[in-house]
């Protein structure tokens, strides 16, 4: 046990003494409770340093000594001591302005109250809590310590007074008709004499409601598609009268509404565009049949006549498919209609009725208004003006990509800064049509929301300030409100005579979202469809996510949906110096770069990215909210908390700069910045699970005490300690946020289970930050995600690893001890998955950009950002499941299945899930994988474990043999324990650094055909092309195909030498500019050696030369063989080269052809010849399709073997070998020799567009600049050709060539094949393919399958919002098709499709 200066027993005795209590009266767990509840307060008091137990004890005892009374111990009751302390605080508050020293006394007195309450929680009476309420209102005066103490006291009090455990989630009892958007509607507004509801009218009204409900039940006929329903609403003042007649009190929301609808407060009464009328009772009759609406309306008018009430009836109905303004604008598209979304946006929820109060949960407020508008002026406007005014196109009602700030749909959306979602309400507008001309002359608008204040917020956004005449919303300049007002629509519990929504109720949604629907019941095109089927018991999977999870998903969908309209960018992160006080600034120039790196981590995690308005960062600014970085927020229903970075891989990153001006020249020379080290490995979360955060800190501190350390080792440990102190503070800040959020949830208006959940989160985060390693399953999941967040937030984009292997022991133990149920564990996994995908941007034009630098993404050791437009909505977040354990046993377990369930049921694109398959994989897991694939998420991707492990194990052994080193005994265990990195690269989990770069195979083809020159730039400037490789033979000198291949391999070797030269020459530079102290602690070897992973500290050192354009190259080589050297050759290599220089005749260039003068006719003749050559090239057999022959397949095997051989030759038998030996010597550690491991890969990831853009026309028929095939997939149809009709290739037979040994043994770094199948692909056929794949009869070492029809993608191009859940495999991950730029969409539309195996079709 660590020496904390005073024993635990002595400390507890001292606490009791200074509290004037007997030690026997203290709870047995008092030490743990004191630590858990007071840690943040004492951390603040001691300068916001991470928790130090010795310092904590010292501070607490000092406070107790200074504030203790002189009365004998045990002679004073706890309540008396508390009363005296409260009085002391009250007096100190009064004296605060007179003497600044009183603030410190106030802090200490409050902390004493906290300690006293912890010893005896029952002393915290209602009177004391009332005082705390007063104190909380002015807490901004006292700083963060007071906030921490007051928040904790509130929580303790609530624990004493709130006993019930969380109840199962159930739908709120709202009026069933609220989400129903009808074809026909009748609004009837009724006024009572003297604005008074009499008992007799109330009785008649009850009879009316019962009658109308009975009429609806009789008229509703699903077979005839007849739906009838109605809403009823009351003026809030009238509803109060209604309740009083039943001797009930109104709930707080209704009381607030009465105040807000008074003339002096009512927005409607103040603005010239809106009208507040005298309306006391309102009926909105809804239906699909006009005559039935009239029937119900007659019941209402009869009621009015009988009771001598004045009424106004307005009929409205949908015209032009529900579009308004002459058939141009469809309203209500973004409506929340499912019960989850309704609860979040529309319904009053969480209100616990007090004694004698009405239960308003499920109630809502309505804004109703009868508008007239100037149709002629609007109709005479041009189409662009109309679209600009509304914000949608007139044909499909889709949101415009670049939307005007004053467009109607943008002004109608207001973003919440706390979570980035829209403040919305449910809109229903029906046109009012002239009975004579049948022309539209107005509309009746009804909107539902959870408070009148919410309407006011949005109205101010639309209409402007109520005191001005300026209307912000362009569309609303053409409308004028004639009558209307605010109404209250009681819940079905309050008004028991109206039809209520119940679990499984089938509700209607507007046809916009149902225009397209998949025949595949597991696949949903848009989020409205998804929520509809999941909340009405119509999900074909029969096991929809829990209501809690659906609630969280609904919020996530809403956040995604807001990106159609709003752009969320992030500010630049200020320099480290901005967050240092004057004293620390003195040392800035003396601190090493690693030390500054660790300090920047600590400040980012513990302050900047976890700052909000209640707790700003050290520079006084707020960074954590959604209108900045969006990294510090919490949802009361969340089971897992934390937020990853908003910027996706393509957008770049924002981390804290720390380099000095004097270091910038070196930074430029090395092509590195603070943004450079990008992670791109799989951390060993097992290490943090074993030690815990505090345990890791203790280990690092212990290492630092070694007197034999070098200066580099000392700097590493200091940097790592600072980084983990940042992790501690990050978790404590979330503990505090959970406390404060629970505190701010008024018990009278929020659900007890939400407050309980937040309290549990606070305890969990404090425990994980300060106490022992996680013991429970829930704790383990949270710790993994917290570490994941911290790594990503500091710029280290990493994957998760083998989640099922990490979590199964915790789950199994909890299950055996009855701590958890399978259902709760599934909820935790589902919540965990959702957290990865909160920052999706659906509108590519609203993607944040401008956050990359010359030193970004240094995967080769030097910076150089990838194609940013290729990598949007990509966060490099992989979860690996199944396969073999490290000792060769089956690794499938309950967590494996839960994750596969999450893949199928949650329409996310991240995390990307990888499933390792073995010959022994149980059928249930293969079935679960097949269902997940058919659900359209393009995951799990399927790894062939035997092939992958064999290739990796061979690579590991070769690396040690060729380096003249002994082969470690555990290499097989290391290979068996592999997992997927951010795209699909196999990685030794928590054991390796990763260096890789692209080798462009097609460039070697170009150089072979063009004497070592790149002909992409051929023409008047570069003539035949720019020199790019060594000068090789002229085309006419290459007499045979074997000769062509030898020259090709020489150029390929030169390309690999270029890559390895950069990697070896730059190795270790990252330590000088951008070390990785946090991530290094989760990589084997770094902590023990005292070396950062950027400084050779990891156990393994993986290099992956990623060969790009494999399939196109195979096809190009085959075409050269056939067209030039084959028995039926059609051209010479020289002519072939000219065809390619001139882009297959599409772009004839000078000086080879005269394009403007006398040679135009001849030029056109050659152009046609080249175009004909291209058609022939495109028609030849292609690798990966059924047209491929043995010669094509032989070239693929030859290429794969030589790719791997060249990589080994360059490292072990070239001029670079001497450089490699120098690195081995430099980074050798006794007992841990240094060696690089080569894992040759073939793939493009998502960069098939940017890769193709840098490559000229190629012999396979590709035009200059066109995309390549993704990864090792079959070559897509030409991008310039029309989208062809779907032709299905046999999914088993077409992929058999990939099963050849060379393609997986020599490409152990991954040879992914991306397949597309149609949505009706039979489940049994997919299982048959998986069985054939596992048996080694077909396929590569990994395969991805996207399930989507080509017609679906075509429709999604034109009507994207209707397809906002359609996802495609990009090549290394999945993205939402609608979020892609046009060039990517074109490539996906031309990918090959695969159908069932012919034998299964029989």
């Amino acid at each position: 046990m660590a020496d904390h200066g005073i024993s635990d027993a002595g400390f507890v005795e001292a606490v009791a003494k200074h509290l004037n209590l007997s030690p026997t009266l203290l709870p047995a767990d008092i030490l743990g409770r004191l630590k858990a509840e007071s840690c943040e307060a004492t951390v603040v008091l001691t300068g916001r340093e991470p928790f130090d137990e010795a310092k904590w004890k010292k501070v607490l005892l000092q406070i107790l000594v200074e504030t203790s009374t002189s009365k004998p111990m045990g002679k004073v009751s706890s309540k008396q001591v508390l009363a005296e302390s409260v009085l002391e605080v009250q007096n100190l508050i009064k004296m605060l302005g007179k003497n600044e020293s009183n603030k410190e006394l106030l802090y200490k007195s409050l902390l004493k109250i906290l300690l006293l309450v912890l010893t005896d929680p029952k002393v915290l009476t209602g009177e004391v809590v009332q005082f705390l309420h007063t104190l909380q209102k002015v807490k901004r005066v006292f700083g963060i310590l007071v906030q921490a103490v007051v928040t904790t006291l509130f929580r303790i009090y609530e624990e004493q007074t709130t006993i019930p455990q969380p109840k199962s989630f159930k739908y709120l009892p709202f009026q069933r008709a609220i989400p129903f958007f009808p074809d026909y509607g009748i609004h009837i507004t009724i006024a009572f004499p003297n604005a008074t509801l009499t008992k007799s009218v109330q009785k008649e009204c009850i009879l009316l409601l019962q009658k109308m409900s009975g009429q609806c039940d009789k008229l509703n006929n699903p077979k005839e598609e007849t739906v009838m329903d109605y809403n009823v609403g009351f003026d809030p003042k009238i509803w109060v009268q209604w309740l009083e007649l039943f001797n009930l009190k109104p709930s707080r929301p209704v009381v607030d509404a009465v105040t807000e609808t008074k003339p002096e407060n009512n927005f409607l009464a103040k603005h010239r565009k809106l009208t507040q009328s005298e309306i006391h009772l309102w009926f909105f009759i809804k239906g699909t049949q006009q005559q039935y609406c009239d029937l119900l309306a007659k019941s209402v008018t009869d009621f009015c006549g009988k009771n001598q009430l004045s009424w106004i009836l307005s009929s409205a109905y949908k015209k032009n498919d529900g579009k308004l303004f002459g058939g141009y604008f469809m309203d209500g598209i973004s409506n929340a209609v499912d019960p989850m979304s309704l609860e979040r946006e529309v319904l009053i929820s969480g209100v616990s009725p007090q004694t004698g109060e009405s239960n308003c949960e499920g109630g809502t407020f309505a804004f109703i208004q009868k508008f007239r508008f100037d149709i002629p002026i609007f109709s005479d406007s041009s189409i662009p003006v109309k679209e600009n005014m509304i914000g949608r196109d007139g044909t499909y009602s889709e949101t415009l990509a670049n939307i005007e700030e004053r467009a109607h749909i943008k002004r109608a959306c207001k973003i919440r800064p706390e979570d980035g979602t829209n403040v919305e309400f449910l809109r229903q507008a029906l046109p009012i049509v002239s009975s004579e001309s049948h022309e539209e002359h107005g509309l009746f608008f009804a909107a539902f929301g959870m408070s009148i204040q919410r309407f006011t917020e949005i109205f101010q956004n639309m209409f402007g300030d109520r005191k001005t005449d300026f209307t912000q919303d362009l569309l609303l300049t053409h409308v004028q409100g004639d009558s209307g007002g605010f109404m209250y629509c009681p819940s079905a519990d309050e008004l028991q005579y109206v039809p209520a929504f119940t679990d499984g109720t089938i509700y209607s949604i507007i046809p916009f979202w149902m225009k397209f629907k998949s025949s595949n019941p597991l696949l949903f095109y848009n989020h409205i469809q998804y929520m509809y089927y999941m909340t009405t018991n119509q999900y074909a999977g029969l096991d929809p996510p829990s209501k809690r999870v659906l609630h969280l998903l609904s919020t996530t969908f809403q956040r995604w949906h807001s990106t159609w309209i709003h752009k969320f960018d992030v500010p630049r992160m200020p320099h480290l110096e901005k967050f240092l006080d004057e004293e620390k600034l003195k040392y800035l120039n003396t601190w090493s770069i690693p030390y500054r790196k660790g300090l920047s981590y600590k400040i980012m995690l513990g302050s900047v990215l976890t700052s909000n308005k209640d707790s700003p960062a050290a520079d006084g600014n707020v960074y954590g909210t959604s209108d900045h970085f969006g990294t510090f927020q919490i949802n009361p229903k969340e089971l897992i908390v934390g937020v990853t970075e908003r910027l996706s891989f393509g957008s770049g990153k924002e981390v804290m700069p720390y380099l000095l001006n004097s270091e910038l020249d070196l930074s430029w020379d090395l092509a590195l910045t603070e943004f450079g080290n990008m992670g791109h490995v799989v951390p060993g979360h097992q290490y943090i699970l074993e030690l815990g955060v505090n345990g890791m800190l203790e280990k690092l501190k212990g290492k630092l005490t070694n007197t034999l350390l070098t200066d580099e080792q000392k700097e590493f440990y200091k940097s790592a300690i600072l980084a983990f102190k940042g992790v501690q503070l990050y978790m404590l800040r979330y503990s505090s946020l959970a406390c404060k959020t629970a505190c701010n949830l008024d018990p009278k208006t929020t659900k007890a289970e939400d407050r309980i959940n937040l309290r549990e989160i606070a305890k969990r985060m404090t425990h994980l930050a300060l106490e022992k390693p996680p013991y429970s399953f829930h704790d383990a999941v949270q710790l993994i995600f917290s570490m994941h967040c911290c790594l990503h937030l500091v710029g280290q984009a990493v994957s998760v690893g083998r989640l099922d292997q990490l979590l199964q022991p915790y789950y199994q133990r909890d299950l055996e001890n009855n701590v958890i149920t399978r259902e709760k564990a599934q909820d935790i996994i589902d919540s965990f998955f959702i957290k990865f995908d909160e920052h999706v941007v659906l509108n590519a034009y609203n993607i944040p950009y401008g956050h990359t630098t010359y030193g970004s993404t240094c995967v080769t050791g030097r910076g150089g950002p990838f194609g940013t437009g290729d990598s949007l909505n990509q966060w490099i977040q992989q979860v690996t499941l199944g396969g073999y354990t490290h000792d060769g046993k089956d690794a499938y377990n309950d967590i494996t299945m839960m994750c596969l369930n999450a893949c199928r049921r949650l329409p996310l694109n991240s995390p990307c899930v990888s499933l390792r398959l073995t010959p022994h994989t149980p059928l249930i897991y293969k079935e679960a994988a097949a269902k997940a694939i058919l659900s359209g998420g393009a995951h799990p991707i399927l790894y062939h474990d035997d092939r992958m492990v064999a290739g990796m194990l061979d690579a590991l052994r070769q690396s040690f043999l060729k380096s003249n080193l002994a082969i470690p005994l555990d290499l097989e265990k290391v290979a068996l324990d592999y997992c997927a990195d951010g795209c699909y690269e196999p990685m030794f989990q928590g054991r390796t650094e990763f260096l890789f770069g692209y080798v462009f195979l097609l460039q070697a083809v170009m150089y072979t055909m063009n004497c070592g020159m790149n002909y992409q730039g051929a023409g008047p400037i570069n003539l035949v092309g720019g020199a790019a490789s060594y000068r090789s033979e002229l085309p006419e000198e290459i007499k045979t195909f074997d000769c062509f291949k030898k020259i090709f391999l020489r150029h390929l070797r030169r390309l690999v030498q270029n890559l390895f030269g950069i990697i070896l020459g730059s190795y270790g530079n990252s330590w000088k500019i951008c070390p990785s102290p946090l991530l290094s602690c989760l990589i084997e070897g770094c902590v023990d050696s005292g070396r950062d992973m950027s400084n050779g500290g990891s156990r393994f050192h993986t290099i992956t030369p990623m060969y790009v354009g494999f399939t196109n190259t195979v096809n190009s080589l085959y075409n050269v063989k056939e067209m030039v050297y084959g028995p039926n050759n059609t051209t010479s290599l020289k002519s072939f080269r000219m065809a390619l220089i001139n882009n297959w005749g599409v772009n004839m260039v000078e000086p080879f052809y005269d394009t403007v003068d006398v040679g135009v006719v001849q030029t056109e003749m050659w152009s046609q010849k080249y175009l004909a050559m291209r058609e022939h090239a495109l028609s030849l057999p292609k690798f990966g399709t059924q047209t491929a022959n043995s010669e094509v397949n032989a070239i693929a095997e030859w290429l794969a073997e030589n790719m791997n051989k060249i990589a080994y030759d360059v490292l072990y038998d070239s001029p670079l070998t001497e450089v490699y030996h120098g690195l081995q010597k430099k980074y050798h550690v006794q007992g841990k020799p240094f060696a690089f491991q080569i894992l040759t890969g073939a793939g493009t990831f998502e960069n098939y567009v940017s890769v193709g853009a840098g490559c000229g026309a190629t012999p396979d028929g590709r035009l200059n600049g066109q995309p390549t095939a993704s990864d090792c997939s079959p070559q897509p149809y030409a991008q310039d050709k029309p989208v062809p009709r779907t032709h299905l290739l046999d999914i088993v037979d077409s992929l058999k060539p990939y099963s050849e040994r060379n393609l997986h043994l020599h490409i152990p770094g991954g040879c992914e094949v991306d397949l597309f199948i149609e949505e009706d692909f039979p489940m049994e056929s997919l299982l048959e393919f998986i069985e054939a794949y596992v048996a080694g009869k077909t396929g590569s070492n990994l395969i991805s399958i996207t399930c989507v029809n080509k017609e679906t993608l075509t429709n999604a191009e034109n009507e994207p919002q209707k397809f906002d859940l359609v996802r495609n495999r990009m090549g290394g991950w999945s993205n939402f098709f609608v979020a892609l730029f046009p060039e990517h969409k074109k490539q996906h539309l031309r990918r090959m499709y695969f159908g069932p195996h012919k034998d299964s079709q029989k």
Side-chain angles (χ1 to χ4, degrees), residues 1036-1097:
E1036 54 268 33
E1037 296 175 336
I1038 306 174
K1039 302 299 184 180
T1040 66
F1041 184 57
D1042 284 341
C1043 182
F1044 185 95
K1045 289 196 296 181
K1046 287 178 182 178
I1047 299 170
F1048 167 82
L1049 291 179
R1050 280 158 50 197
H1051 284 299
L1052 185 58
R1053 180 185 174 97
R1054 183 62 56 88
L1055 291 170
V1056 175
Q1057 282 180 321
N1058 291 343
L1059 172 63
F1060 277 44
I1062 293 172
I1063 291 175
L1064 298 181
S1066 303
Y1067 191 80
N1069 288 345
S1070 294
W1071 167 249
K1072 303 172 185 177
I1073 300 294
C1074 50
S1076 304
L1078 186 60
L1079 179 55
S1080 295
C1081 294
L1082 302 182
I1083 302 296
E1084 182 183 348
C1086 293
V1087 173
D1088 288 342
S1089 67
R1091 281 181 171 173
D1092 194 272
M1093 61 182 292
S1094 64
N1095 196 29

Side-chain angles (χ1 to χ4, degrees), residues 137-155:
K137 292 178 182 178
V138 291
K139 65 183 180 183
R140 58 184 175 81
V141 179
F142 311 125
I144 191 170
L145 177 63
V146 175
Q147 297 178 39
V149 173
V150 171
T151 299
T152 303
L153 288 170
F154 270 128
R155 183 155 56 83

Side-chain angles (χ1 to χ4, degrees), residues 293-327:
C293 289
D294 294 338
L295 182 64
L296 265 68
K298 186 176 185 307
S299 298
V300 177
T301 55
D302 288 347
F303 156 78
C304 293
K306 181 178 180 180
N307 293 278
Q308 299 182 339
L309 306 176
S310 59
W311 51 273
I312 298 174
L313 184 148
S314 301
S315 292
Y317 65 92
K318 285 181 180 177
K319 278 191 69 179
N320 305 307
D321 296 324
K323 294 182 179 180
L324 306 169
F325 293 94

Side-chain angles (χ1 to χ4, degrees), residues 455-474:
F455 287 114
T456 302
E457 288 177 14
I458 298 180
F459 289 163
Q460 286 174 335
N461 215 39
M462 297 168 69
F463 294 98
D465 191 278
R466 65 179 72 178
K467 296 178 182 178
T468 71
D469 289 334
F470 182 70
T471 300
Q472 299 284 345
D473 189 320
L474 287 174

Side-chain angles (χ1 to χ4, degrees), residues 1248-1268:
Y1248 45 84
V1249 170
S1250 57
V1251 165
C1255 186
T1258 44
D1260 57 340
R1262 232 188 93 263
L1263 291 181
N1264 179 14
Q1266 284 190 344
T1268 64

Side-chain angles (χ1 to χ4, degrees), residues 871-1058:
S871 308
L872 305 179
N873 291 329
Q874 153 73 312
W875 287 273
I876 309 183
Q877 301 178 128
Q878 276 269 7
V879 167
T880 303
L881 306 173
Y884 294 111
T885 63
H886 65 84
D887 53 0
K889 298 178 181 177
D890 282 344
Y892 306 95
N893 56 45
D894 292 335
I895 307 302
T896 313
M897 184 59 72
M898 291 178 198
C899 292
L900 291 174
N901 287 342
C903 281
R904 168 176 52 85
R905 304 190 307 176
L906 307 179
L908 310 171
N909 80 308
S910 184
C912 186
V913 175
S914 302
L915 179 65
R916 294 172 48 179
L917 295 170
T918 76
H920 314 293
T921 304
L923 178 61
I924 58 170
Y925 296 98
K926 288 182 280 194
E927 289 177 338
K931 290 178 181 178
I933 290 167
L934 291 174
S935 72
H939 59 186
I941 56 176
L942 306 176
Y943 283 74
H944 193 293
D945 244 23
D946 285 350
R947 291 172 177 170
M948 193 64 76
V949 171
M952 294 181 75
L953 185 57
D954 181 68
L956 282 169
R957 288 171 174 160
Q958 290 293 325
S959 70
F960 285 95
L961 287 173
K962 290 181 179 291
S963 299
N964 297 316
L965 298 172
I967 297 177
L969 298 177
D970 65 342
L971 281 193
E972 185 172 5
K973 288 186 176 182
V974 171
L976 285 167
D977 201 32
Y978 81 90
C979 59
D981 191 21
C983 291
Y984 58 71
E985 309 94 310
M987 196 73 60
F988 310 126
Q989 176 176 264
R991 294 185 173 97
T992 188
E993 64 176 317
F994 183 54
L995 300 160
F996 89 100
Y998 285 154
V999 178
F1000 298 93
L1001 290 166
L1002 286 174
Q1003 287 184 355
V1005 174
M1006 291 197 299
Y1007 302 160
T1008 304
M1009 299 196 72
N1010 199 35
C1011 309
M1013 290 180 283
N1014 185 343
Y1015 55 69
Q1016 187 178 29
I1021 296 175
N1022 293 318
L1023 300 180
V1024 77
S1029 185
Y1030 75 91
R1031 186 183 184 191
S1032 57
E1033 289 82 346
L1034 292 168
E1036 54 268 33
E1037 296 175 336
I1038 306 174
K1039 302 299 184 180
T1040 66
F1041 184 57
D1042 284 341
C1043 182
F1044 185 95
K1045 289 196 296 181
K1046 287 178 182 178
I1047 299 170
F1048 167 82
L1049 291 179
R1050 280 158 50 197
H1051 284 299
L1052 185 58
R1053 180 185 174 97
R1054 183 62 56 88
L1055 291 170
V1056 175
Q1057 282 180 321
N1058 291 343

